[in-house]
Amino acid sequence: MSTYLLSYAGWTFLPNLLMEFTLIVSTQLVTGWIQSLYYGITIRAGDPKPQPGNPRYFKHRRRINIAVIVIYLLYTVYEADYWVRQTGDFFQDLELPVDVDEKKIKSRFRRLAAIYHPDKAVSPVDHANAEAYFVKLKSAQDTLTDPNKRFAYERWGPDILTWQHASSIRDYILIGLQSSGPLYGGSMVVMGLLSLTGYLQWGRYWRYLVFGCLALIEYHTLSRPYWSPFLTRVLNPLLTTATSHPPLLPFQFLALAHKITFTFFIAMGQLSPFFALPAPPGGSSASAFDEQQLQRLEQLAQSTEIETGRLLALEMAPLAGDEAGQNDLKGKVRGWLVQNTIRADPEVRDALGRSMQRRRVGAPAGAR
């Protein structure tokens, strides 16, 4: 059992981690190339280019890096959709719509069987290919004409052909949920451990929210006797009317939802350095961080005071040993401060004015 769990964990999370590492390296390389090309086009020859550490350089690199990451992740979603279309499904193999009934399925199979029967092949190679294709058509016909198998196929895909001990809809649902359980349980454990280590701090709420929504959507899609209303009323009509994309089956829709969710997690991990606010160093609390900043401010004030004293001593170096000259300079500086700083203050002027008015009360005529 432990070997199975380790194998499952490795094949589930290791490709994702390798993909994220590849994304980090490739985006940094592409970002550097695009930034160099951008400077080569927008900056004239001979003009200085922004260098690393320059705010302008960092702003350009940040924008280019974000654009590269978003474009790459959109491409991964498109690649997943392309793989779904290339893989196909039993409805496409029989060239039938997804809402076809049992009678039309059997009629279509008889027509295709008459065309692609292995007995009509001429060479051994053609016979082998025709036999494989005929077996595929027969499997599609047997699956779609059985209501229980069709229910399971639409939700779990061709994997249900290997479920030997399932016969009723309840059996298929139980086996399907058991196959999905380790994925969600293992993912929650990994996300919790990464959160405890501080790796997934930025956007943690949105990660858990998206993951919970995915689990809810999958449970609703797999356990209901009807297709998801979003799939039948929104997504499939949009795909079939606006594009040449064939309608998605529930298992294809869930596969794309898994891919989009994982892509969203990677995007948050890659974009977090550009949007996350700087956290207190060393994992210290907010009060400890503020205390550290106050200490740094106090040290800066002390160093400024020392530097000011040193500059003042340097300015008074010519008067070293001349006590009378120093006293005269101090008196002039004191007078300048009084005349230009203290008396220039609006409150000081108002106080002097009120004092002079009180003194002139009762003064004889002609007195100044």
Side-chain angles (χ1 to χ4, degrees), residues 18 71 91 121 137-138 152 158 175 205 211 238 260 350-351 354 359 362:
L18 291 177
I71 292 174
F91 293 98
L137 294 177
K138 184 68 168 60
I175 296 176
Y205 167 78
F211 192 76
L238 180 63
I260 292 173
D350 293 342
R354 289 193 298 269
R359 290 183 180 181

Side-chain angles (χ1 to χ4, degrees), residues 237-266:
L238 180 63
L239 292 176
T240 54
T241 56
T243 66
S244 59
H245 197 292
L248 293 174
L249 297 177
F251 79 90
Q252 297 172 332
F253 167 68
L254 291 177
L256 289 179
H258 291 167
K259 187 67 175 181
I260 292 173
T261 301
F262 174 67
T263 300
F264 174 76
F265 288 166
I266 293 182

Side-chain angles (χ1 to χ4, degrees), residues 114-151:
I115 298 175
Y116 299 104
H117 198 278
D119 294 341
K120 295 186 176 182
V122 179
S123 64
V125 176
D126 294 338
H127 183 275
N129 294 334
E131 185 176 2
Y133 187 67
F134 182 81
V135 170
K136 186 177 182 181
L137 294 177
K138 184 68 168 60
S139 178
Q141 188 258 354
D142 293 342
T143 301
L144 297 182
T145 53
D146 186 328
N148 295 340
K149 288 185 178 180
R150 180 171 179 172
F151 172 89

Side-chain angles (χ1 to χ4, degrees), residues 19 23 71-81 259 263:
M19 180 180 176
L23 176 61
I71 292 174
Y72 179 82
L73 295 177
L74 290 176
Y75 168 75
T76 60
V77 176
Y78 168 79
E79 185 182 24
D81 177 69
K259 187 67 175 181
T263 300

